[in-house]
Amino acid sequence: MGNSSRSYGASPAIMSEWSDVLSGIPQGSILGPVLFIIYINDFESCREDAKIYLFADDARLDNHIKCIVDAEILQSKKDKFTNWAHKWLVKLSTKKCKSMSFHQRQYDTMNNSFTCKIDGVPLEQVESYKDLGVLFDPFLLFDQHISNIVSKAYSMLKLMQRNFRELSRKCSVVLYKTTFGIC
C-alpha cells in the first residue's frame, strides 16, 4: 500500500480511487488524536524559556516580556517552533497567527512594542482575541466578552418572546432554562 489511502463515498459500497497521501492524520478516526499527540511529542523541545499551550491543532506561545531581551527570547522560541514545523512538514498558516500584548493601563505601547514574526512574516498585532470562546482584551478586563454574551442572551430572549407567545408560563420556564443552560 505505501503512502496510499482509500476514502469512502456516501456508502461503504462506493469507494474512491487510491490516492497518495503525503502527510496528515485521518480526520474523524479514533486514532487521530493519539497519532497527533505522538506526532507533536518532541514539540516540548521548543519550551525552554517560553510557555507553550496546545489545544487540538492550535499552539500558543507566551512569555512575560519586561525588556527587549525577553522579546528576543520569545522570537527565538518562535523561530525554534518554525524550524520544528519545517522539519516535520507541518504547514503553518501565518495568516491565522496573531500577536497580542497584555499589560496594565499605564503601559506605553508606542515605545514598548516589537514585531513578532513567524517564517519571516510579521504577525498582525491585535487589540482583542477570541481563544476557546473567551474574548481577551489587553487589560484582561473581559468587558467586551461579557457585553457580547449579554447581547446574545437578550437577542435569544427576544426571539423566544416573539416566537413562543402562546406557551404557558411553565413551558416558557423550561424553554428558558434549556436554552440558557440554567438548572
Side-chain angles (χ1 to χ4, degrees):
M1 280 197 333
N3 290 338
S4 296
S5 172
R6 181 170 288 225
S7 61
Y8 296 93
S11 73
I14 304 170
M15 289 189 280
S16 65
E17 297 294 320
W18 287 98
S19 63
D20 289 338
V21 176
L22 302 176
S23 65
I25 295 172
Q27 280 191 318
S29 70
I30 294 170
L31 278 178
V34 174
L35 291 173
F36 183 74
I37 289 169
I38 292 168
Y39 188 70
I40 64 165
N41 195 36
D42 71 334
F43 182 67
E44 296 292 318
S45 64
C46 300
R47 204 174 240 219
E48 295 151 18
D49 296 319
K51 294 182 183 99
I52 297 174
Y53 299 97
L54 300 171
F55 183 78
D57 63 347
D58 287 337
R60 198 174 72 237
L61 229 55
D62 292 345
N63 200 25
H64 186 123
I65 297 175
K66 295 179 239 170
C67 62
I68 193 69
V69 173
D70 294 334
E72 289 168 355
I73 289 171
L74 179 61
Q75 185 59 53
S76 102
K77 293 302 159 192
K78 289 179 184 179
D79 294 341
K80 215 174 193 187
F81 170 73
T82 303
N83 292 338
W84 175 89
H86 288 308
K87 176 184 173 187
W88 293 106
L89 304 176
V90 174
K91 188 173 186 221
L92 298 175
S93 179
T94 53
K95 291 178 184 175
K96 291 182 178 180
C97 297
K98 309 288 183 218
S99 176
M100 184 173 179
S101 296
F102 299 98
H103 46 79
Q104 296 174 342
R105 285 188 187 273
Q106 67 269 17
Y107 183 78
D108 182 8
T109 56
M110 297 303 274
N111 294 324
N112 294 309
S113 63
F114 62 95
T115 303
C116 295
K117 296 177 182 176
I118 289 190
D119 248 353
V121 177
L123 300 181
E124 177 187 355
Q125 181 73 28
V126 295
E127 286 298 315
S128 64
Y129 187 76
K130 196 169 199 172
D131 187 33
L132 299 176
V134 178
L135 187 62
F136 290 90
D137 63 77
F139 311 114
L140 296 175
L141 297 176
F142 302 101
D143 295 348
Q144 192 178 5
H145 176 73
I146 293 167
S147 183
N148 288 348
I149 290 173
V150 170
S151 178
K152 286 179 186 178
Y154 275 127
S155 294
M156 184 59 75
L157 187 58
K158 287 177 185 173
L159 177 82
M160 289 168 49
Q161 288 172 339
R162 187 175 60 240
N163 293 318
F164 299 104
R165 288 183 186 162
E166 305 302 319
L167 285 181
S168 68
R169 179 138 177 93
K170 184 177 180 180
C171 287
S172 294
V173 168
V174 169
L175 178 63
Y176 179 84
K177 286 181 177 181
T178 304
T179 303
F180 294 107
I182 300 169
C183 298

